[in-house]
Amino acid sequence: MSFGRLERPDAARPMSDINMTPLIDVMLVLLVIFMITAPLMTASLRLDLPKSDAATPSDAPTSIAVAITPDGKLHLGNEELDPKAFQQRIAELGRANAQMEVQLRADRAVPYGQVAELIGWVQAGGLNRIAFVAQAAASAP
């Protein structure tokens, strides 16, 4: 009986490459999910905006959205405010940046007097750049 070294076959070398295919698959699935859900995450008001052929989006760098609903509720951005709080917030924004554009969205059912009063509050707050937001009119076939 002889004692000797037992020969072992070479062990499998550890794999040093990362398989990127599963990582790319997960990334693409997440990208599709975010593309589908991102538009749904924006809070929006349901307004029946007037239609106009001249309705084009503005490229103003600083703007704030102001909306008035058919029942007369005021919205500054996504926040619903009462008239006093609205006037105070507009005055604060006017002092902070007088060149800020106000994008006014008024439902077509809102009386003209309420819209004119709202414009007066905005101008009294020091903001004079007011843009009326309308839906683009559907082109006739």
Side-chain angles (χ1 to χ4, degrees), residues 73-129:
K73 293 182 181 173
L74 300 171
H75 295 267
L76 185 63
N78 292 330
E79 185 179 2
E80 182 179 330
L81 299 171
D82 61 32
K84 291 274 188 202
F86 179 83
Q87 292 173 15
Q88 290 173 350
R89 291 285 304 275
I90 287 292
E92 292 170 8
L93 290 171
R95 283 191 298 272
N97 183 4
Q99 296 302 315
M100 182 179 293
E101 180 181 83
V102 175
Q103 295 181 348
L104 177 60
R105 291 172 171 83
D107 193 280
R108 70 171 56 201
V110 175
Y112 178 75
Q114 287 182 343
V115 174
E117 184 179 32
L118 178 63
I119 292 171
W121 291 343
V122 169
Q123 288 177 337
L127 298 172
N128 294 318
R129 295 183 65 195

Side-chain angles (χ1 to χ4, degrees), residues 1-6:
M1 177 183 229
S2 70
F3 292 177
R5 185 171 162 189
L6 296 174

Side-chain angles (χ1 to χ4, degrees), residues 18-90:
I18 296 175
N19 187 0
M20 296 295 289
T21 305
L23 297 175
I24 293 171
D25 289 345
V26 168
M27 183 213 39
L28 290 175
V29 167
L30 289 174
L31 179 67
V32 168
I33 290 171
F34 286 130
M35 286 173 48
I36 291 171
T37 59
L40 302 175
M41 295 170 78
T42 59
S44 63
L45 297 172
R46 298 305 251 172
L47 297 176
D48 184 19
L49 295 174
K51 294 183 178 13
S52 170
D53 290 330
T56 58
S58 173
D59 294 335
T62 57
S63 64
I64 184 72
V66 172
I68 184 166
T69 60
D71 54 359
K73 293 182 181 173
L74 300 171
H75 295 267
L76 185 63
N78 292 330
E79 185 179 2
E80 182 179 330
L81 299 171
D82 61 32
K84 291 274 188 202
F86 179 83
Q87 292 173 15
Q88 290 173 350
R89 291 285 304 275
I90 287 292

